[in-house]
Amino acid sequence: MTEDLRFPVGRFDPSARPDPAHVPRWIDEIAEAPARLRAAVEGLSDEQLDTPYRPGGWSVRQVVHHLADSHMNALARFKLALTEDEPTIKPYDEAAWAELEDTRATPPEVSLTLLDALHRRWVALLRSLGPDELARTFRHPETGRSVRLDAAVGLYAWHGRHHVAHVAGLRERMGWG
C-alpha cells in the first residue's frame, strides 16, 4: 500500500512481461474481487456511498459501478481476442460513464450482484486458457499497443485491488469501521 490516494496499491506497469507463474494467482484475485468489494462497501449508508474516495475522485457508489462497467468490457475484450485475430477493441469514456444516472443513483447491490455472476463466467474462461490462448492479443486504439491476454489478466487483477483499496482506504480514514 502507498500513501497516494489515487494509486493506493501503486501504479500498474503495462510494460512488464508477465511471468506465467503469476497468472493463476491473478486469476484467483479476479475471482475474489467481487467478495472483497462487497466487504469493502458492507454497511455503508447512502451518504457514505456518495462520498468521494479522494478529493476530486469518484464516489464509492461510482467506484462500484465502474468496476462492473470495466469488467464487462474486459470479458468482451478477452472473448474477442480469443475468437478474432488481434481485434481492435472499443474504448469507452470511463469518466462519462461514471456520470450517467445509472452509476450515480443505482444501489451498489445491483453492480455487486452483476460482478458476482460476471466474475464467475470470466474466471471459468480464464482458468480454461492455456499458454497459446494467453499469448493472444487485442489492440487498444488509444495507445496503438497490442495487449497480450496474460498481461491483461494482471491488469484486471490489479484493477480490482486498486479500487477495493480506494474504498477500504476511505473507510479507514473516515473511521467507518
Side-chain angles (χ1 to χ4, degrees), residues 82-110:
L82 291 166
T83 60
E84 300 177 17
D85 290 328
E86 196 172 68
T88 299
I89 56 124
K90 171 80 172 91
Y92 66 101
D93 184 340
E94 296 174 345
W97 283 35
E99 294 301 324
L100 293 173
E101 191 60 22
D102 69 312
T103 302
R104 297 182 62 75
T106 302
E109 183 58 35
V110 173

Side-chain angles (χ1 to χ4, degrees), residues 73-129:
N73 275 282
L75 177 59
R77 291 169 178 180
F78 273 75
K79 292 184 116 183
L80 287 167
L82 291 166
T83 60
E84 300 177 17
D85 290 328
E86 196 172 68
T88 299
I89 56 124
K90 171 80 172 91
Y92 66 101
D93 184 340
E94 296 174 345
W97 283 35
E99 294 301 324
L100 293 173
E101 191 60 22
D102 69 312
T103 302
R104 297 182 62 75
T106 302
E109 183 58 35
V110 173
S111 283
L112 292 169
T113 300
L114 189 153
L115 281 166
D116 287 336
L118 176 68
H119 278 234
R120 285 182 66 190
R121 289 262 322 263
W122 191 14
V123 168
L125 176 66
L126 293 174
R127 287 188 173 143
S128 75
L129 302 180

Side-chain angles (χ1 to χ4, degrees), residues 33-50:
R36 289 183 178 186
L37 182 62
R38 185 177 292 281
V41 302
E42 185 176 1
L44 295 181
S45 68
D46 278 336
E47 182 180 340
Q48 291 166 327
L49 290 167
D50 292 328

Side-chain angles (χ1 to χ4, degrees), residues 7-171:
F7 295 100
V9 299
R11 291 181 182 262
F12 180 75
D13 180 4
S15 66
R17 178 70 177 231
D19 179 339
H22 292 154
V23 174
R25 181 178 43 116
W26 290 335
I27 294 170
D28 289 344
E29 289 181 27
I30 290 170
E32 296 162 1
R36 289 183 178 186
L37 182 62
R38 185 177 292 281
V41 302
E42 185 176 1
L44 295 181
S45 68
D46 278 336
E47 182 180 340
Q48 291 166 327
L49 290 167
D50 292 328
T51 302
Y53 72 88
R54 66 174 173 85
W58 288 335
S59 71
V60 172
R61 183 185 312 270
Q62 287 171 300
V63 168
V64 171
H65 295 311
H66 162 70
L67 273 168
D69 290 341
S70 174
H71 293 190
M72 282 189 297
N73 275 282
L75 177 59
R77 291 169 178 180
F78 273 75
K79 292 184 116 183
L80 287 167
L82 291 166
T83 60
E84 300 177 17
D85 290 328
E86 196 172 68
T88 299
I89 56 124
K90 171 80 172 91
Y92 66 101
D93 184 340
E94 296 174 345
W97 283 35
E99 294 301 324
L100 293 173
E101 191 60 22
D102 69 312
T103 302
R104 297 182 62 75
T106 302
E109 183 58 35
V110 173
S111 283
L112 292 169
T113 300
L114 189 153
L115 281 166
D116 287 336
L118 176 68
H119 278 234
R120 285 182 66 190
R121 289 262 322 263
W122 191 14
V123 168
L125 176 66
L126 293 174
R127 287 188 173 143
S128 75
L129 302 180
D132 290 343
E133 290 95 356
L134 288 165
R136 293 186 63 89
T137 60
F138 59 80
R139 181 162 299 281
H140 200 293
E142 293 176 340
T143 64
R145 289 182 12 157
S146 177
V147 179
R148 285 174 52 111
L149 292 186
D150 53 4
V153 172
L155 168 65
Y156 286 103
W158 170 87
H159 190 246
R161 285 192 316 273
H162 168 72
H163 285 303
V164 169
H166 284 151
V167 177
L170 175 65
R171 281 188 86 125

